[in-house]
Amino acid sequence: MSCTVDQLMDKCKQALKEKWQYVYGAKGAVLSRAQIDALRNLYGSNCVWWSDSDKAGKICCDCSGLPSSATGVMRGSAQYKSTALECYPISQREPYMRGWAVWMKGHIGIYDGNNGYYAMDGSARNMVHYPLSKNKFTHIIKLCDVDYGQGVSTDKAPSAVASGGSYNAVVNFMYSVRIEDGRILPEVTNLNDYAGIRGKRITDLAIRCDQGSLWYQVHILGGGWLPKVTGCDWNNPENGFAGDNKVIDAVKVYYNTPHDIVSSQGYQQAQYRTSQINLGYGKWQYDDETRNGQNGFTGSFGKAIDRFQLF
């Protein structure tokens, strides 16, 4: 089952108008006191408050139950993120993302396209339509069960999600570049900054991470792809950085998730982008994927880059 964006937004407006009540574990149905007490016995009073018993006889729902009540597909907030078709830091939201979900660990809401969100916002707030400043959402995600105008994906939704970078980080990526005048610029972590100087062409790139492993490679302007690199050491020209002191126009990065992170958080991915000389950034690339409009790399052959970001 699935729904359209308009149907999802209508469900949010309906829940607000009907004053749905937040009860952990509820999925948009009228509950009796006995049913609420049963949920408390199942999940504990930290999740189902004692005061929630007073919500008997009203439509009750939890945060993940709100989108589930529209799509007919039951998922928890973590499952919504792990099956997301696209995932970006909340700072990267755009008006066209109306109907995408806003997400933080343990909570989910629906973005209204205008810096606000709808959500079953906990036992004290219940159903709300608030500015994003009222909460601490870390990501905005494209739900696999909602038709955003291109239909619903018939493939299994990807289990891999972005690492999160400096937003709810699981993996920290550290990276630096060398520019065409020979300078090696200071190392950057996740999205704390970017590597490069606007207007200065990048010739070499070095990347490392604090958990798991990765490989990366660069494409030479007017040439081809150089060999993959796994190390990060500017003093090691064989496997310490990607590049040959020549201007590059494309980058490819792939993150290998260790088993302990897979079991606790799911597969992670390198999410990265570049900027052409004196222009804005291109779209985010996940690992070397080629689905959902991705090229398998970031950049454009024949056009030098001056900035790089990764998380």
Side-chain angles (χ1 to χ4, degrees):
M1 299 179 66
S2 64
C3 70
T4 66
V5 173
D6 287 340
Q7 288 171 331
L8 176 60
M9 302 311 295
D10 286 345
K11 178 63 69 172
C12 292
K13 294 172 183 177
Q14 174 189 348
L16 188 68
K17 181 178 180 180
E18 295 177 351
K19 298 181 180 179
W20 287 17
Q21 301 294 294
Y22 182 95
V23 175
Y24 187 87
K27 300 302 176 185
V30 175
L31 296 186
S32 66
R33 187 183 183 98
Q35 289 173 313
I36 295 174
D37 291 343
L39 288 172
R40 183 181 303 109
N41 290 334
L42 178 62
Y43 296 114
S45 59
N46 287 335
C47 293
V48 182
W49 293 4
W50 288 103
S51 59
D52 287 340
S53 295
D54 295 335
K55 298 173 182 178
K58 300 176 182 178
I59 300 176
C60 299
C61 192
D62 63 10
C63 65
S64 61
L66 180 61
S68 293
S69 67
T71 65
V73 181
M74 294 297 112
R75 302 186 192 275
S77 61
Q79 291 173 315
Y80 274 117
K81 186 166 186 281
S82 67
T83 60
L85 298 179
E86 297 183 46
C87 174
Y88 302 99
I90 192 66
S91 62
Q92 303 297 326
R93 65 189 180 275
E94 298 287 350
Y96 77 83
M97 294 176 177
R98 172 179 174 267
W100 290 33
V102 287
W103 187 94
M104 59 190 287
K105 187 175 181 179
H107 192 34
I108 191 170
I110 304 300
Y111 186 51
D112 68 1
N114 191 32
N115 294 318
Y117 71 96
Y118 292 92
M120 299 302 304
D121 226 21
S123 288
R125 290 180 171 180
N126 300 301
M127 180 63 197
V128 303
H129 182 202
Y130 278 164
L132 283 175
S133 59
K134 286 282 191 177
N135 224 314
K136 298 179 180 180
F137 294 108
T138 57
H139 293 77
I140 185 161
I141 60 178
K142 187 176 184 180
L143 301 177
C144 65
D145 305 317
V146 178
D147 184 350
Y148 294 96
Q150 296 81 38
V152 178
S153 174
T154 56
D155 297 329
K156 180 182 177 182
S159 60
V161 296
S163 66
S166 59
Y167 303 86
N168 199 25
V170 174
V171 181
N172 289 305
F173 292 96
M174 287 69 69
Y175 52 98
S176 58
V177 300
R178 178 156 46 203
I179 58 178
E180 56 187 329
D181 64 9
R183 282 183 290 166
I184 296 175
L185 302 181
E187 189 175 71
V188 174
T189 299
N190 296 325
L191 300 183
N192 293 341
D193 202 344
Y194 57 83
I197 296 176
R198 187 179 181 93
K200 300 292 185 180
R201 299 186 297 179
I202 294 174
T203 61
D204 305 275
L205 170 67
I207 306 174
R208 62 188 178 94
C209 57
D210 63 353
Q211 299 185 71
S213 62
L214 55 79
W215 60 256
Y216 56 104
Q217 63 183 145
V218 299
H219 186 274
I220 299 298
L221 180 69
W225 287 101
L226 296 184
K228 295 176 181 177
V229 175
T230 58
C232 183
D233 182 355
W234 285 109
N235 295 314
N236 179 2
E238 297 299 322
N239 191 44
F241 58 88
D244 192 23
N245 201 28
K246 298 177 181 178
V247 174
I248 62 178
D249 56 13
V251 178
K252 188 181 295 186
V253 185
Y254 188 92
Y255 177 69
N256 299 300
T257 313
H259 293 302
D260 59 334
I261 293 182
V262 173
S263 60
S264 62
Q265 301 288 338
Y267 284 97
Q268 308 297 295
Q269 292 178 295
Q271 183 173 325
Y272 54 104
R273 64 181 182 176
T274 55
S275 170
Q276 295 175 18
I277 294 291
N278 290 316
L279 297 178
Y281 287 104
K283 62 187 177 183
W284 291 102
Q285 171 70 38
Y286 288 79
D287 281 341
D288 58 352
E289 289 188 356
T290 56
R291 58 185 173 181
N292 298 322
Q294 298 181 92
N295 297 322
F297 60 87
T298 179
S300 180
F301 297 153
K303 299 178 180 179
I305 61 175
D306 62 1
R307 284 164 291 167
F308 175 79
Q309 283 190 307
L310 164 68
F311 73 95

